[in-house]
């Protein structure tokens, strides 16, 4: 017997994404403080969590394993895209919104931050599913 499909609420995903984005932007402006030793990596982890939320919004019934896998592929692909520095993509990155989405400059430690952010998002997703099952 297979377990019933867990279908996420797009409304709740959107609200959570806005909250995570707000915390991430606030951290970049110094309004939310993370330990200085972590540098910009908490913001990178939050960015990856938003990637996971975007995937979940597009496919609300996706299994958690696929959700994590697709999110990691997207986050890693965007990080590796930062190795490409052609003038046209640099012009795109000059736009503030594009810069926030695409970043600029490859940092291998960002990959670890993405794993942490996506793991945090998956843990919240798991908790959300458990809470709904208990209710």
């Amino acid at each position: 017997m297979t377990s019933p499909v867990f279908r996420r609420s797009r409304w709740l995903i959107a609200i959570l994404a806005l909250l995570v984005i707000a915390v991430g932007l606030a951290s970049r402006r110094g309004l939310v403080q993370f330990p200085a030793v972590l540098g910009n990596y908490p913001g990178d982890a939050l960015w990856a969590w938003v990637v996971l939320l975007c995937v979940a919004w597009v496919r609300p019934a996706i299994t958690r394993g696929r959700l994590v896998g697709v999110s990691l592929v997207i986050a890693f692909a965007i990080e590796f895209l930062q190795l490409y520095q052609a003038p046209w993509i640099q012009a795109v990155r000059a736009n503030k919104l594009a810069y926030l989405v695409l970043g600029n400059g490859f940092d291998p430690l960002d990959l670890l931050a993405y794993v942490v952010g996506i793991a945090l998002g998956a843990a919240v997703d798991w908790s959300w599913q458990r809470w709904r099952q208990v209710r």
Side-chain angles (χ1 to χ4, degrees):
M1 181 171 127
T2 61
S3 61
V5 173
F6 171 55
R7 184 171 175 83
R8 298 158 186 89
S9 163
R10 283 190 168 133
W11 284 104
L12 291 176
I13 291 168
I15 291 167
L16 183 56
L18 289 173
L19 289 171
V20 173
I21 290 168
V23 171
L25 291 175
S27 75
R28 296 290 185 181
R29 296 199 179 272
L31 301 173
V32 172
Q33 296 290 323
F34 291 103
V37 70
L38 296 177
N40 287 331
Y41 298 112
D44 295 331
L46 293 170
W47 176 88
W49 188 0
V50 172
V51 169
L52 178 130
L53 290 168
C54 289
V55 173
W57 190 89
V58 171
R59 299 290 306 264
I62 192 171
T63 65
R64 190 167 302 103
R66 286 190 182 187
L67 175 62
V68 167
V70 170
S71 300
L72 283 171
V73 166
I74 291 169
F76 279 38
I78 290 173
E79 185 65 27
F80 281 104
L81 180 64
Q82 293 174 20
L83 292 168
Y84 184 65
Q85 297 289 322
W88 74 269
I89 198 158
Q90 286 300 86
V92 170
R93 289 178 180 135
N95 175 286
K96 185 68 169 174
L97 180 59
Y99 175 79
L100 289 171
V101 173
L102 299 175
N104 190 29
F106 178 80
D107 180 355
L109 288 178
D110 284 350
L111 301 174
L112 178 59
Y114 300 159
V115 169
V116 169
I118 288 170
L120 176 61
V124 170
D125 186 70
W126 178 84
S127 298
W128 182 1
Q129 180 181 11
R130 292 288 169 237
W131 179 78
R132 284 188 57 197
Q133 288 173 343
V134 169
R135 248 182 42 155

